[in-house]
Amino acid sequence: DQQVKQNSPSLSVQEGRISILNCDYTNSMFDYFLWYKKYPAEGPTFLISISSIKDKNEDGRFTVFLNKSAKHLSLHIVPSQPGDSAVYFCAASRIQGAQKLVFGQGTRLTINP
Amino acid sequence: DAGVIQSPRHEVTEMGQEVTLRCKPISGHNSLFWYRQTMMRGLELLIYFNNNVPIDDSGMPEDRFSAKMPNASFSTLKIQPSEPRDSAVYFCASRFATGTLGHYGYTFGSGTRLTVV
């Protein structure tokens, strides 16, 4: 049972346009969500996070939106740059107690010049 | 700090052989996690340790997998006997656990790509 799902294995976007990556979760106990970025032959690195008390968190070109009622979050990258080409993983956890992150399958983002 | 160090980077082994993956967490981190990356399931948590003690091993696929953390600076993940379906990238991650997750996420190693033929 996949508690965190990224239904799009890949996404291709033109440089300068907006990239939108989506993620759904099933466990209503999750109250903290993160996005990680992974380049080939490297480990994932933390990108941005959001707690369930918010519905939006912004960091430069990256914005994460959370819709708790739909159990859905999305990552927006504006404007998209070639260096953003990577695999993006959505992850979920609980702030208190359990410390493990549950990850989705990942979405491979390709930014075309 | 050199980050989380995993070895080997690549491992090719024959079915039935024993495989040992190694991880050195970041000094001072007290939680260590082993993940496996596959196309179908993404990053799956296999096991994690707090203060060298295994806390949750529910993700370990079967008895062929075992993990140890004999001290704060070293952990191993062993597969015996290995099977072709074990082929994947295995990541180790560490963090300093404060009781709350906050924004202090994991630091991942570069992974070990395991191929079982």
Side-chain angles (χ1 to χ4, degrees), chain A residues 5-66:
Chain A
K5 297 180 183 179
Q6 294 175 256
N7 292 318
S8 298
S10 62
L11 177 67
S12 188
V13 174
Q14 202 75 18
E15 181 179 359
R17 307 294 287 266
I18 183 171
S19 296
I20 300 176
L21 296 95
N22 294 302
C23 177
D24 298 293
Y25 61 96
T26 57
N27 189 339
S28 57
M29 298 298 288
F30 290 145
D31 56 7
Y32 194 73
F33 305 90
L34 307 90
W35 285 93
Y36 277 76
K37 178 179 180 179
K38 182 186 177 305
Y39 291 119
E42 295 182 11
T45 56
F46 171 75
L47 186 59
I48 192 169
S49 64
I50 188 168
S51 73
S52 59
I53 61 172
K54 292 185 168 184
D55 55 16
K56 177 182 174 182
N57 187 29
E58 219 172 325
D59 184 1
R61 297 185 298 113
F62 302 91
T63 303
V64 56
F65 294 92
L66 175 62

Short mmCIF file of all heavy atoms in Angstrom, two decimals, chain A residues 5-66:
data_model
loop_
_atom_site.label_atom_id
_atom_site.label_comp_id
_atom_site.label_asym_id
_atom_site.label_seq_id
_atom_site.Cartn_x
_atom_site.Cartn_y
_atom_site.Cartn_z
N LYS A 5 1.76 8.96 -3.11
CA LYS A 5 1.76 8.60 -4.52
C LYS A 5 2.08 9.80 -5.41
O LYS A 5 1.51 10.88 -5.24
CB LYS A 5 0.39 8.06 -4.93
CG LYS A 5 0.00 6.78 -4.24
CD LYS A 5 -1.36 6.31 -4.71
CE LYS A 5 -1.80 5.07 -3.95
NZ LYS A 5 -3.12 4.59 -4.34
N GLN A 6 2.96 9.56 -6.34
CA GLN A 6 3.23 10.55 -7.38
C GLN A 6 2.86 9.86 -8.69
O GLN A 6 3.58 8.97 -9.15
CB GLN A 6 4.70 10.98 -7.37
CG GLN A 6 5.07 11.73 -6.11
CD GLN A 6 6.55 12.06 -6.05
OE1 GLN A 6 7.28 11.41 -5.33
NE2 GLN A 6 6.96 13.07 -6.80
N ASN A 7 1.76 10.22 -9.24
CA ASN A 7 1.19 9.46 -10.36
C ASN A 7 1.83 9.78 -11.70
O ASN A 7 1.58 9.05 -12.67
CB ASN A 7 -0.31 9.70 -10.42
CG ASN A 7 -1.02 9.07 -9.23
OD1 ASN A 7 -0.71 7.96 -8.82
ND2 ASN A 7 -1.96 9.80 -8.64
N SER A 8 2.62 10.85 -11.76
CA SER A 8 3.28 11.17 -13.03
C SER A 8 4.74 10.77 -12.95
O SER A 8 5.52 11.42 -12.25
CB SER A 8 3.16 12.67 -13.32
OG SER A 8 1.83 13.06 -13.45
N PRO A 9 5.14 9.73 -13.67
CA PRO A 9 6.55 9.32 -13.60
C PRO A 9 7.48 10.36 -14.23
O PRO A 9 8.64 10.45 -13.84
CB PRO A 9 6.60 8.03 -14.42
CG PRO A 9 5.19 7.61 -14.59
CD PRO A 9 4.34 8.83 -14.48
N SER A 10 6.96 11.13 -15.17
CA SER A 10 7.82 12.11 -15.83
C SER A 10 7.02 13.32 -16.25
O SER A 10 5.79 13.27 -16.41
CB SER A 10 8.51 11.48 -17.05
OG SER A 10 7.55 11.08 -18.00
N LEU A 11 7.76 14.44 -16.42
CA LEU A 11 7.16 15.71 -16.82
C LEU A 11 8.20 16.48 -17.62
O LEU A 11 9.36 16.56 -17.21
CB LEU A 11 6.74 16.50 -15.58
CG LEU A 11 6.16 17.89 -15.78
CD1 LEU A 11 4.81 17.80 -16.48
CD2 LEU A 11 6.00 18.62 -14.45
N SER A 12 7.76 17.04 -18.73
CA SER A 12 8.66 17.82 -19.57
C SER A 12 8.11 19.23 -19.70
O SER A 12 6.93 19.42 -20.02
CB SER A 12 8.78 17.16 -20.95
OG SER A 12 9.76 17.79 -21.72
N VAL A 13 8.95 20.25 -19.42
CA VAL A 13 8.50 21.64 -19.40
C VAL A 13 9.51 22.51 -20.14
O VAL A 13 10.72 22.27 -20.08
CB VAL A 13 8.35 22.13 -17.94
CG1 VAL A 13 8.02 23.62 -17.88
CG2 VAL A 13 7.29 21.32 -17.22
N GLN A 14 9.01 23.53 -20.79
CA GLN A 14 9.87 24.48 -21.48
C GLN A 14 10.54 25.40 -20.47
O GLN A 14 9.92 25.84 -19.48
CB GLN A 14 9.02 25.30 -22.46
CG GLN A 14 9.79 25.92 -23.59
CD GLN A 14 10.17 24.89 -24.64
OE1 GLN A 14 9.60 23.80 -24.70
NE2 GLN A 14 11.13 25.24 -25.46
N GLU A 15 11.80 25.71 -20.73
CA GLU A 15 12.53 26.65 -19.88
C GLU A 15 11.76 27.96 -19.76
O GLU A 15 11.24 28.48 -20.75
CB GLU A 15 13.92 26.91 -20.46
CG GLU A 15 14.78 27.85 -19.65
CD GLU A 15 16.16 28.06 -20.27
OE1 GLU A 15 16.45 27.45 -21.32
OE2 GLU A 15 16.94 28.84 -19.71
N GLY A 16 11.67 28.47 -18.53
CA GLY A 16 10.99 29.74 -18.31
C GLY A 16 9.53 29.59 -17.94
O GLY A 16 8.93 30.52 -17.38
N ARG A 17 8.96 28.42 -18.24
CA ARG A 17 7.55 28.19 -17.91
C ARG A 17 7.42 27.62 -16.50
O ARG A 17 8.42 27.36 -15.81
CB ARG A 17 6.93 27.22 -18.92
CG ARG A 17 7.10 27.61 -20.36
CD ARG A 17 6.37 28.89 -20.71
NE ARG A 17 4.93 28.69 -20.78
CZ ARG A 17 4.26 28.42 -21.91
NH1 ARG A 17 4.92 28.29 -23.05
NH2 ARG A 17 2.96 28.30 -21.89
N ILE A 18 6.21 27.39 -16.06
CA ILE A 18 5.97 26.84 -14.73
C ILE A 18 5.98 25.31 -14.78
O ILE A 18 5.43 24.71 -15.69
CB ILE A 18 4.63 27.36 -14.16
CG1 ILE A 18 4.40 26.84 -12.73
CG2 ILE A 18 3.46 26.96 -15.06
CD1 ILE A 18 3.20 27.48 -12.03
N SER A 19 6.62 24.72 -13.79
CA SER A 19 6.57 23.27 -13.60
C SER A 19 5.68 22.99 -12.40
O SER A 19 5.85 23.62 -11.35
CB SER A 19 7.96 22.68 -13.34
OG SER A 19 8.81 22.85 -14.44
N ILE A 20 4.77 22.05 -12.54
CA ILE A 20 3.88 21.68 -11.43
C ILE A 20 3.97 20.18 -11.22
O ILE A 20 3.65 19.39 -12.11
CB ILE A 20 2.42 22.08 -11.72
CG1 ILE A 20 2.31 23.59 -11.92
CG2 ILE A 20 1.52 21.63 -10.57
CD1 ILE A 20 0.92 24.08 -12.31
N LEU A 21 4.46 19.81 -10.05
CA LEU A 21 4.57 18.40 -9.70
C LEU A 21 3.55 18.10 -8.62
O LEU A 21 3.39 18.86 -7.67
CB LEU A 21 5.98 18.07 -9.21
CG LEU A 21 7.09 18.25 -10.25
CD1 LEU A 21 7.75 19.61 -10.14
CD2 LEU A 21 8.14 17.16 -10.10
N ASN A 22 2.88 16.97 -8.76
CA ASN A 22 1.79 16.64 -7.87
C ASN A 22 2.08 15.42 -7.00
O ASN A 22 2.87 14.55 -7.38
CB ASN A 22 0.52 16.38 -8.68
CG ASN A 22 0.02 17.63 -9.37
OD1 ASN A 22 -0.25 18.64 -8.71
ND2 ASN A 22 -0.09 17.59 -10.68
N CYS A 23 1.39 15.38 -5.87
CA CYS A 23 1.58 14.30 -4.91
C CYS A 23 0.29 14.11 -4.13
O CYS A 23 -0.35 15.09 -3.72
CB CYS A 23 2.73 14.68 -3.98
SG CYS A 23 3.08 13.51 -2.67
N ASP A 24 -0.10 12.87 -3.92
CA ASP A 24 -1.28 12.55 -3.11
C ASP A 24 -0.88 11.63 -1.97
O ASP A 24 0.04 10.82 -2.11
CB ASP A 24 -2.33 11.85 -3.97
CG ASP A 24 -2.83 12.74 -5.09
OD1 ASP A 24 -3.48 13.75 -4.79
OD2 ASP A 24 -2.55 12.42 -6.27
N TYR A 25 -1.56 11.75 -0.86
CA TYR A 25 -1.28 10.87 0.27
C TYR A 25 -2.59 10.31 0.81
O TYR A 25 -3.66 10.87 0.60
CB TYR A 25 -0.48 11.59 1.36
CG TYR A 25 -1.16 12.78 1.98
CD1 TYR A 25 -1.87 12.67 3.17
CD2 TYR A 25 -1.08 14.03 1.37
CE1 TYR A 25 -2.47 13.76 3.75
CE2 TYR A 25 -1.69 15.13 1.94
CZ TYR A 25 -2.39 15.00 3.13
OH TYR A 25 -3.00 16.09 3.70
N THR A 26 -2.48 9.19 1.51
CA THR A 26 -3.69 8.54 2.01
C THR A 26 -3.80 8.57 3.53
O THR A 26 -4.91 8.46 4.06
CB THR A 26 -3.74 7.07 1.54
OG1 THR A 26 -2.56 6.40 2.01
CG2 THR A 26 -3.79 6.98 0.02
N ASN A 27 -2.69 8.73 4.22
CA ASN A 27 -2.70 8.65 5.67
C ASN A 27 -3.02 10.03 6.26
O ASN A 27 -2.21 10.96 6.16
CB ASN A 27 -1.34 8.16 6.16
CG ASN A 27 -1.32 7.85 7.64
OD1 ASN A 27 -2.15 8.32 8.40
ND2 ASN A 27 -0.35 7.05 8.06
N SER A 28 -4.18 10.15 6.91
CA SER A 28 -4.59 11.45 7.45
C SER A 28 -3.77 11.85 8.68
O SER A 28 -3.90 12.97 9.17
CB SER A 28 -6.08 11.41 7.81
OG SER A 28 -6.33 10.37 8.73
N MET A 29 -2.94 10.94 9.19
CA MET A 29 -2.09 11.27 10.33
C MET A 29 -0.87 12.09 9.91
O MET A 29 -0.20 12.69 10.75
CB MET A 29 -1.63 9.98 11.02
CG MET A 29 -2.76 9.14 11.58
SD MET A 29 -3.68 10.01 12.85
CE MET A 29 -2.51 10.01 14.19
N PHE A 30 -0.54 12.09 8.64
CA PHE A 30 0.60 12.88 8.18
C PHE A 30 0.31 14.36 8.40
O PHE A 30 -0.78 14.85 8.07
CB PHE A 30 0.87 12.65 6.70
CG PHE A 30 1.42 11.30 6.37
CD1 PHE A 30 1.06 10.66 5.19
CD2 PHE A 30 2.33 10.66 7.21
CE1 PHE A 30 1.57 9.40 4.86
CE2 PHE A 30 2.85 9.41 6.89
CZ PHE A 30 2.45 8.78 5.71
N ASP A 31 1.28 15.07 8.97
CA ASP A 31 1.09 16.50 9.17
C ASP A 31 2.31 17.32 8.76
O ASP A 31 2.42 18.50 9.09
CB ASP A 31 0.68 16.82 10.61
CG ASP A 31 1.68 16.27 11.63
OD1 ASP A 31 2.75 15.76 11.22
OD2 ASP A 31 1.39 16.35 12.84
N TYR A 32 3.22 16.68 8.08
CA TYR A 32 4.41 17.38 7.63
C TYR A 32 4.83 16.79 6.30
O TYR A 32 4.89 15.57 6.16
CB TYR A 32 5.53 17.24 8.66
CG TYR A 32 6.67 18.19 8.46
CD1 TYR A 32 6.54 19.54 8.76
CD2 TYR A 32 7.89 17.75 7.95
CE1 TYR A 32 7.57 20.43 8.56
CE2 TYR A 32 8.93 18.63 7.75
CZ TYR A 32 8.77 19.95 8.06
OH TYR A 32 9.80 20.83 7.86
N PHE A 33 5.12 17.67 5.35
CA PHE A 33 5.36 17.21 3.98
C PHE A 33 6.61 17.90 3.43
O PHE A 33 6.87 19.06 3.73
CB PHE A 33 4.14 17.53 3.09
CG PHE A 33 2.87 16.97 3.65
CD1 PHE A 33 2.09 17.72 4.52
CD2 PHE A 33 2.46 15.69 3.33
CE1 PHE A 33 0.93 17.20 5.07
CE2 PHE A 33 1.30 15.16 3.86
CZ PHE A 33 0.54 15.91 4.74
N LEU A 34 7.36 17.15 2.66
CA LEU A 34 8.62 17.66 2.14
C LEU A 34 8.76 17.28 0.67
O LEU A 34 8.19 16.30 0.19
CB LEU A 34 9.81 17.07 2.90
CG LEU A 34 9.81 17.18 4.43
CD1 LEU A 34 9.13 15.98 5.07
CD2 LEU A 34 11.25 17.29 4.95
N TRP A 35 9.56 18.07 -0.02
CA TRP A 35 9.99 17.73 -1.37
C TRP A 35 11.50 17.60 -1.38
O TRP A 35 12.21 18.43 -0.80
CB TRP A 35 9.57 18.79 -2.38
CG TRP A 35 8.10 18.75 -2.71
CD1 TRP A 35 7.11 19.46 -2.10
CD2 TRP A 35 7.48 17.96 -3.72
NE1 TRP A 35 5.90 19.16 -2.67
CE2 TRP A 35 6.09 18.25 -3.67
CE3 TRP A 35 7.94 17.06 -4.67
CZ2 TRP A 35 5.17 17.64 -4.54
CZ3 TRP A 35 7.03 16.46 -5.53
CH2 TRP A 35 5.66 16.76 -5.46
N TYR A 36 11.96 16.53 -2.03
CA TYR A 36 13.38 16.30 -2.20
C TYR A 36 13.67 16.27 -3.70
O TYR A 36 12.85 15.85 -4.51
CB TYR A 36 13.80 14.97 -1.58
CG TYR A 36 14.05 15.03 -0.10
CD1 TYR A 36 12.99 15.09 0.80
CD2 TYR A 36 15.34 15.04 0.41
CE1 TYR A 36 13.21 15.17 2.16
CE2 TYR A 36 15.57 15.13 1.78
CZ TYR A 36 14.50 15.17 2.63
OH TYR A 36 14.72 15.25 3.98
N LYS A 37 14.88 16.66 -4.03
CA LYS A 37 15.35 16.70 -5.41
C LYS A 37 16.53 15.76 -5.53
O LYS A 37 17.38 15.72 -4.64
CB LYS A 37 15.76 18.14 -5.73
CG LYS A 37 16.31 18.40 -7.10
CD LYS A 37 16.63 19.91 -7.18
CE LYS A 37 17.19 20.30 -8.53
NZ LYS A 37 17.47 21.76 -8.59
N LYS A 38 16.57 15.01 -6.62
CA LYS A 38 17.66 14.05 -6.77
C LYS A 38 18.24 14.13 -8.17
O LYS A 38 17.54 13.95 -9.17
CB LYS A 38 17.15 12.63 -6.49
CG LYS A 38 18.24 11.58 -6.57
CD LYS A 38 17.70 10.20 -6.44
CE LYS A 38 18.82 9.17 -6.60
NZ LYS A 38 19.57 9.33 -7.86
N TYR A 39 19.56 14.36 -8.20
CA TYR A 39 20.30 14.29 -9.46
C TYR A 39 20.87 12.88 -9.62
O TYR A 39 21.05 12.16 -8.63
CB TYR A 39 21.45 15.30 -9.47
CG TYR A 39 21.02 16.73 -9.53
CD1 TYR A 39 21.35 17.63 -8.51
CD2 TYR A 39 20.30 17.23 -10.62
CE1 TYR A 39 20.97 18.96 -8.56
CE2 TYR A 39 19.92 18.57 -10.67
CZ TYR A 39 20.26 19.41 -9.65
OH TYR A 39 19.89 20.73 -9.70
N PRO A 40 21.17 12.47 -10.86
CA PRO A 40 21.75 11.13 -11.08
C PRO A 40 23.02 10.93 -10.27
O PRO A 40 23.84 11.84 -10.12
CB PRO A 40 22.05 11.13 -12.59
CG PRO A 40 21.10 12.12 -13.17
CD PRO A 40 20.94 13.19 -12.13
N ALA A 41 23.18 9.74 -9.74
CA ALA A 41 24.37 9.31 -9.00
C ALA A 41 24.57 10.10 -7.71
O ALA A 41 25.67 10.11 -7.14
CB ALA A 41 25.62 9.38 -9.86
N GLU A 42 23.52 10.80 -7.26
CA GLU A 42 23.60 11.50 -5.99
C GLU A 42 22.41 11.10 -5.12
O GLU A 42 21.40 10.59 -5.61
CB GLU A 42 23.58 13.02 -6.19
CG GLU A 42 24.78 13.56 -6.93
CD GLU A 42 24.73 15.08 -7.06
OE1 GLU A 42 23.88 15.71 -6.40
OE2 GLU A 42 25.55 15.62 -7.82
N GLY A 43 22.53 11.36 -3.82
CA GLY A 43 21.40 11.14 -2.95
C GLY A 43 20.41 12.28 -3.03
O GLY A 43 20.74 13.38 -3.47
N PRO A 44 19.16 12.05 -2.62
CA PRO A 44 18.18 13.14 -2.59
C PRO A 44 18.61 14.25 -1.65
O PRO A 44 19.23 14.00 -0.62
CB PRO A 44 16.91 12.44 -2.07
CG PRO A 44 17.13 10.98 -2.31
CD PRO A 44 18.61 10.77 -2.17
N THR A 45 18.27 15.47 -2.00
CA THR A 45 18.55 16.62 -1.14
C THR A 45 17.26 17.37 -0.85
O THR A 45 16.38 17.49 -1.72
CB THR A 45 19.57 17.58 -1.77
OG1 THR A 45 19.10 17.98 -3.05
CG2 THR A 45 20.93 16.92 -1.92
N PHE A 46 17.16 17.89 0.36
CA PHE A 46 15.95 18.59 0.79
C PHE A 46 15.75 19.86 -0.03
O PHE A 46 16.68 20.61 -0.29
CB PHE A 46 16.08 18.93 2.28
CG PHE A 46 15.01 19.84 2.79
CD1 PHE A 46 13.74 19.38 3.02
CD2 PHE A 46 15.29 21.18 3.03
CE1 PHE A 46 12.75 20.23 3.49
CE2 PHE A 46 14.32 22.04 3.50
CZ PHE A 46 13.05 21.56 3.73
N LEU A 47 14.49 20.09 -0.40
CA LEU A 47 14.17 21.27 -1.21
C LEU A 47 13.28 22.24 -0.45
O LEU A 47 13.62 23.39 -0.25
CB LEU A 47 13.47 20.81 -2.50
CG LEU A 47 13.17 21.84 -3.57
CD1 LEU A 47 14.45 22.54 -4.03
CD2 LEU A 47 12.47 21.19 -4.75
N ILE A 48 12.13 21.79 0.00
CA ILE A 48 11.17 22.66 0.66
C ILE A 48 10.19 21.79 1.45
O ILE A 48 10.00 20.62 1.11
CB ILE A 48 10.42 23.54 -0.37
CG1 ILE A 48 9.63 24.66 0.29
CG2 ILE A 48 9.55 22.69 -1.29
CD1 ILE A 48 9.09 25.71 -0.70
N SER A 49 9.60 22.37 2.49
CA SER A 49 8.66 21.61 3.30
C SER A 49 7.46 22.46 3.68
O SER A 49 7.47 23.69 3.50
CB SER A 49 9.34 21.09 4.57
OG SER A 49 9.75 22.18 5.38
N ILE A 50 6.44 21.81 4.21
CA ILE A 50 5.25 22.51 4.68
C ILE A 50 4.59 21.69 5.78
O ILE A 50 4.56 20.46 5.71
CB ILE A 50 4.27 22.76 3.51
CG1 ILE A 50 3.12 23.67 3.95
CG2 ILE A 50 3.73 21.45 2.93
CD1 ILE A 50 2.28 24.20 2.78
N SER A 51 4.12 22.37 6.80
CA SER A 51 3.37 21.67 7.84
C SER A 51 1.88 21.84 7.58
O SER A 51 1.47 22.73 6.84
CB SER A 51 3.73 22.20 9.23
OG SER A 51 3.17 23.48 9.42
N SER A 52 1.10 21.01 8.22
CA SER A 52 -0.33 20.98 7.91
C SER A 52 -1.09 22.20 8.43
O SER A 52 -2.27 22.38 8.11
CB SER A 52 -0.97 19.70 8.46
OG SER A 52 -0.78 19.63 9.86
N ILE A 53 -0.42 23.06 9.21
CA ILE A 53 -1.10 24.26 9.66
C ILE A 53 -1.08 25.34 8.59
O ILE A 53 -1.73 26.38 8.71
CB ILE A 53 -0.49 24.81 10.96
CG1 ILE A 53 0.98 25.19 10.77
CG2 ILE A 53 -0.64 23.79 12.08
CD1 ILE A 53 1.57 25.91 11.97
N LYS A 54 -0.32 25.09 7.53
CA LYS A 54 -0.24 26.04 6.42
C LYS A 54 -0.84 25.42 5.17
O LYS A 54 -0.97 24.20 5.06
CB LYS A 54 1.21 26.41 6.14
CG LYS A 54 1.90 27.21 7.22
CD LYS A 54 3.29 27.59 6.73
CE LYS A 54 3.92 28.63 7.63
NZ LYS A 54 5.24 29.07 7.11
N ASP A 55 -1.16 26.28 4.21
CA ASP A 55 -1.56 25.73 2.91
C ASP A 55 -0.62 26.17 1.79
O ASP A 55 -0.78 25.76 0.65
CB ASP A 55 -3.01 26.13 2.57
CG ASP A 55 -3.23 27.63 2.62
OD1 ASP A 55 -2.23 28.38 2.62
OD2 ASP A 55 -4.40 28.06 2.66
N LYS A 56 0.40 26.94 2.16
CA LYS A 56 1.35 27.41 1.16
C LYS A 56 2.66 27.75 1.84
O LYS A 56 2.68 28.33 2.93
CB LYS A 56 0.77 28.64 0.45
CG LYS A 56 1.69 29.29 -0.58
CD LYS A 56 1.02 30.52 -1.16
CE LYS A 56 1.95 31.31 -2.07
NZ LYS A 56 1.30 32.53 -2.61
N ASN A 57 3.76 27.39 1.17
CA ASN A 57 5.07 27.81 1.64
C ASN A 57 5.93 28.12 0.43
O ASN A 57 5.97 27.35 -0.53
CB ASN A 57 5.72 26.71 2.50
CG ASN A 57 7.00 27.19 3.15
OD1 ASN A 57 7.16 28.38 3.42
ND2 ASN A 57 7.92 26.28 3.40
N GLU A 58 6.60 29.26 0.50
CA GLU A 58 7.34 29.74 -0.65
C GLU A 58 8.82 29.88 -0.32
O GLU A 58 9.17 30.33 0.78
CB GLU A 58 6.79 31.13 -1.02
CG GLU A 58 6.67 31.42 -2.48
CD GLU A 58 5.94 32.73 -2.75
OE1 GLU A 58 5.01 33.07 -1.98
OE2 GLU A 58 6.30 33.40 -3.71
N ASP A 59 9.67 29.53 -1.27
CA ASP A 59 11.10 29.73 -1.10
C ASP A 59 11.69 30.02 -2.47
O ASP A 59 11.99 29.10 -3.24
CB ASP A 59 11.74 28.48 -0.49
CG ASP A 59 13.23 28.68 -0.21
OD1 ASP A 59 13.76 29.78 -0.47
OD2 ASP A 59 13.87 27.73 0.27
N GLY A 60 11.82 31.29 -2.77
CA GLY A 60 12.36 31.68 -4.07
C GLY A 60 11.46 31.24 -5.20
O GLY A 60 10.27 31.55 -5.23
N ARG A 61 12.02 30.45 -6.11
CA ARG A 61 11.24 30.00 -7.26
C ARG A 61 10.33 28.82 -6.93
O ARG A 61 9.54 28.38 -7.77
CB ARG A 61 12.19 29.59 -8.39
CG ARG A 61 13.04 30.73 -8.94
CD ARG A 61 13.87 30.29 -10.14
NE ARG A 61 14.82 29.24 -9.80
CZ ARG A 61 14.75 27.99 -10.26
NH1 ARG A 61 13.76 27.63 -11.07
NH2 ARG A 61 15.67 27.11 -9.91
N PHE A 62 10.46 28.29 -5.72
CA PHE A 62 9.74 27.08 -5.34
C PHE A 62 8.60 27.41 -4.37
O PHE A 62 8.80 28.11 -3.38
CB PHE A 62 10.70 26.08 -4.70
CG PHE A 62 11.84 25.69 -5.59
CD1 PHE A 62 13.04 26.39 -5.56
CD2 PHE A 62 11.71 24.63 -6.47
CE1 PHE A 62 14.10 26.04 -6.40
CE2 PHE A 62 12.77 24.27 -7.31
CZ PHE A 62 13.95 24.98 -7.27
N THR A 63 7.42 26.88 -4.67
CA THR A 63 6.27 27.04 -3.79
C THR A 63 5.58 25.69 -3.64
O THR A 63 5.36 24.99 -4.63
CB THR A 63 5.26 28.05 -4.37
OG1 THR A 63 5.90 29.31 -4.58
CG2 THR A 63 4.09 28.26 -3.40
N VAL A 64 5.28 25.34 -2.40
CA VAL A 64 4.53 24.11 -2.16
C VAL A 64 3.14 24.50 -1.66
O VAL A 64 3.00 25.37 -0.81
CB VAL A 64 5.27 23.17 -1.18
CG1 VAL A 64 5.57 23.86 0.14
CG2 VAL A 64 4.46 21.91 -0.94
N PHE A 65 2.14 23.85 -2.23
CA PHE A 65 0.75 24.05 -1.85
C PHE A 65 0.22 22.78 -1.22
O PHE A 65 0.49 21.67 -1.71
CB PHE A 65 -0.10 24.41 -3.08
CG PHE A 65 0.24 25.72 -3.71
CD1 PHE A 65 1.18 25.78 -4.74
CD2 PHE A 65 -0.35 26.89 -3.28
CE1 PHE A 65 1.51 26.99 -5.35
CE2 PHE A 65 -0.03 28.11 -3.88
CZ PHE A 65 0.90 28.15 -4.91
N LEU A 66 -0.55 22.93 -0.15
CA LEU A 66 -1.13 21.78 0.53
C LEU A 66 -2.65 21.92 0.59
O LEU A 66 -3.16 22.94 1.06
CB LEU A 66 -0.57 21.64 1.95
CG LEU A 66 -1.16 20.53 2.82
CD1 LEU A 66 -0.91 19.16 2.21
CD2 LEU A 66 -0.60 20.61 4.24
#
